[in-house]
Amino acid sequence: PRAADALGAEILRVRALGVLGKTQRGLPPLSPADTVRRAQAFLDVGDREKALYALGPLLARLRTLRKDDPEVACRALLAKAQARGRTRGASDAWGEAVDACAKSEGLVSALFHGGRAALREKKTKEAETRFARLEATFPRHRLADDARFYRATMAQDDGDEARFVERAKTLADDYPQGDMAAEALFRVALAAMARGDWQAAREPLERIEALARDAGVLRDDAPAPAPAEPPDPSAAGDPAATPDEDGGAGEPRAPATEAPAPSPGAGSASTGGAAGTSLAPSATPAPSAAPAVDAAAEKVRLAALERAAPRAIYFLGRVAAATGDADRARAQYRTLLDRYPLSFYMAQAYGRLEALD
């Protein structure tokens, strides 16, 4: 749409019709599929009002559309829900999409984003139902572990510590290809540290280390010195310490540590929901699309573990210090100085070493 405006596409269309001796009123209407594509194009540039306006004719005859073309009806309601954004009632719009997409590949997006919308609107039972259905229906999907993570944090918010720990600690085993395992384990460790049970925090932190080592992203040696470069003022701070853009009211809270943790789906290849991201399933998926998605999901998983590794090393040092093992605490902190120089947790470790010595 922005390119059309910049290039004067509407004016060109009118001129072309004039040459043919026709008017826009005499043109055949867009097909339902093209109407959804047009609405999605507006969403991709962040124009929700025009997207809803474009969907108007389809939504007016939705009942007939669901009978004649259920796939297009699903995509239309996904676009409608996306256009609602975080406004009140967005959860109900996603509920309509869930119903319409029951037999479509768009169901996974409807369930995931519908669960998040319900959570933001404090409809926890509805959120739990949608996330649980996503896990049960799409256990191998790259959003299944995100759904489990949300369910774990919801149990924690409800004060059900046992269910929170059970859901968070089993996430890594149930979804080994997911990217939320390290974050779920850290939340378990954080809860233990918050109540003063430092010993209980050791196991999940060591599990994070093991996952990073198995994935080949844990640095076992000091990195080679990089060539000297001028400092970049925009690079102040560690990327892992930056809160996720999609966080908001009703989202799982970031842990109250030195650096906020990313929310589910941060950097994920599939979460969608922001401008420039289509939630509607592709009408004609490319034959080679699946391997590319798998590679992208694996890249996200490895990046998440790479961010989590120095945090686990640092807090294992904190655990050692709190349980009276000063020598191990020093070793953990020095590991960060050696292997993760100029990182956020190296700076934290340096301060702890300075206090110990």
Side-chain angles (χ1 to χ4, degrees):
R2 287 177 181 171
D5 290 342
L7 298 173
E10 287 293 333
I11 296 174
L12 288 174
R13 184 180 292 113
V14 171
R15 288 177 59 191
L17 290 170
V19 171
L20 296 172
K22 297 181 179 181
T23 64
Q24 293 213 58
R25 187 172 295 178
L27 289 177
L30 290 176
S31 69
D34 282 341
T35 299
V36 175
R37 287 179 60 194
R38 180 171 174 78
Q40 190 63 56
F42 285 123
L43 287 174
D44 290 345
V45 296
D47 196 332
R48 293 182 173 133
E49 289 187 8
K50 286 187 178 179
L52 286 172
Y53 181 79
L55 288 169
L58 286 186
L59 299 178
R61 56 186 185 90
L62 187 60
R63 182 176 298 179
T64 302
L65 183 64
R66 289 184 64 170
K67 182 185 299 184
D68 296 342
D69 197 337
E71 183 62 32
V72 171
C74 164
R75 291 164 54 202
L77 287 171
L78 283 173
K80 174 191 172 183
Q82 190 180 356
R84 294 295 301 271
R86 292 172 178 248
T87 60
R88 182 178 297 179
S91 176
D92 294 338
W94 285 111
E96 289 183 81
V98 167
D99 292 339
C101 298
K103 296 182 180 179
S104 166
E105 64 179 22
L107 178 61
V108 65
S109 289
L111 289 171
F112 182 71
H113 294 286
R116 298 207 315 173
L119 192 56
R120 282 194 295 270
E121 296 178 21
K122 311 300 182 185
K123 299 177 180 179
T124 54
K125 289 185 179 180
E126 203 165 286
E128 168 70 23
T129 298
R130 289 171 180 174
F131 288 136
R133 183 178 172 186
L134 193 159
E135 281 196 74
T137 310
F138 304 97
R140 297 178 64 83
H141 195 277
R142 58 189 177 274
L143 287 177
D145 64 314
D146 296 73
R148 169 71 65 82
F149 183 85
Y150 273 107
R151 294 179 67 211
T153 57
M154 288 165 59
Q156 186 182 33
D157 290 341
D158 288 340
D160 192 338
E161 193 71 14
R163 182 170 293 182
F164 156 66
V165 171
E166 186 273 330
R167 288 177 176 176
K169 290 183 75 172
T170 57
L171 191 151
D173 296 321
D174 293 345
Y175 304 107
Q177 301 307 313
D179 63 304
M180 296 305 299
E183 184 60 33
L185 289 166
F186 181 72
R187 297 293 179 98
V188 174
L190 179 63
M193 291 184 286
R195 63 176 183 266
D197 191 353
W198 292 87
Q199 195 61 45
R202 187 187 304 277
E203 180 192 352
L205 292 171
E206 288 179 342
R207 180 77 193 281
I208 295 171
E209 265 196 325
L211 289 172
R213 185 174 289 107
D214 291 344
V217 298
L218 184 67
R219 294 182 186 173
D220 291 324
D221 299 303
E229 294 181 356
D232 180 3
S234 66
D238 185 83
T242 305
D244 183 72
E245 292 179 354
D246 196 38
E251 306 287 348
R253 59 188 180 280
T257 63
E258 285 84 344
S263 63
S268 170
S270 61
T271 52
T277 307
S278 170
L279 295 180
S282 172
T284 54
S288 60
V293 169
D294 290 343
E298 178 65 5
K299 185 176 181 180
V300 171
R301 184 183 77 90
L302 294 178
L305 286 172
E306 194 167 15
R307 288 194 304 269
R311 181 170 65 177
I313 294 170
Y314 170 74
F315 278 101
L316 280 169
R318 294 283 304 275
V319 168
T323 55
D325 192 346
D327 289 339
R328 181 174 180 185
R330 289 188 180 93
Q332 293 292 128
Y333 297 148
R334 286 172 180 153
T335 295
L336 286 166
L337 266 65
D338 291 340
R339 301 178 189 173
Y340 297 90
L342 303 183
S343 68
F344 176 85
Y345 284 105
M346 185 231 76
Q348 296 293 320
Y350 189 92
R352 296 282 172 179
L353 273 175
E354 195 172 38
L356 284 173
D357 301 326

